[in-house]
Amino acid sequence: PVKIKIVTNGEAKYRDIIISKVYEEFVFPASSKPDYVKFDTKNQLLIEKKMVKTDADYANQFKYADDFIDRIEAVNYFEFNQSNNLAKDVMLAALDVEGAPLNVAALNFVKGLNKKERQALIPTIKSLALNAQESIVNSTALNVLSKLIGVDEKKEIGKQLHANPSLLIQRALKSGN
């Protein structure tokens, strides 16, 4: 048994199916095109899925994802396809979800934004620098932040993180001054 998630107009519905062949095609009646379809919601099958997806499909995948695997797949896609607003929306949303690789990818994306856009993100980046659970997120946020804030704010952040034993954080604090 495998569970399929189908999201239409923001509403998720689940269907249980039985896989009985190596190659199978499933068709479900729908009144409109779904926003997102997730095959094997628990990622329990060892399979290679080949799906043709648009930028909008990847954006919806990130938006409706129940797990890290689907989010990181969408973020990885947009790391290499940054030329539209969907990429920007997904990457900025990745600043606010749990998962160090998601946060780091989003912080690296922020470096490419214009100065006004980066300035608007200072509170979010500062929060990641001070509160993230993974030192790689803290240090990446510190590196991005160091180019956006003044000396006094850098000193204040340094005071708050001075006792943190992470070498990544300490190196980021030193390089940011």
Side-chain angles (χ1 to χ4, degrees), residues 40-116:
D40 188 18
T41 59
K42 295 182 181 179
N43 299 307
Q44 56 193 7
L45 295 178
L46 294 174
I47 60 170
E48 181 179 333
K49 291 187 287 188
K50 293 183 181 181
M51 300 175 74
V52 177
K53 297 181 188 178
T54 64
D55 291 347
D57 292 333
Y58 279 105
N60 282 333
Q61 177 175 318
F62 183 88
K63 181 179 180 178
Y64 297 115
D66 293 323
D67 58 36
F68 174 81
I69 292 170
D70 288 339
R71 285 192 183 104
I72 196 69
E73 182 182 53
V75 165
N76 287 339
Y77 172 80
F78 284 117
E79 278 185 296
F80 297 101
N81 297 280
Q82 297 183 4
S83 62
N84 63 52
N85 284 334
L86 289 175
K88 184 177 177 182
D89 293 344
V90 168
M91 296 307 276
L92 295 182
L95 289 170
D96 295 322
V97 297
E98 191 175 319
L102 299 167
N103 301 146
V104 169
L107 288 163
N108 287 326
F109 177 84
V110 166
K111 293 176 189 176
L113 297 176
N114 68 47
K115 186 173 183 174
K116 185 178 178 181

Side-chain angles (χ1 to χ4, degrees), residues 9 17 25 33 74 82 94 145 156-157 165 175:
N9 298 323
I17 60 169
E25 189 173 301
K33 181 180 184 234
Q82 297 183 4
L145 206 53
E156 180 59 35
I157 290 170
S175 69

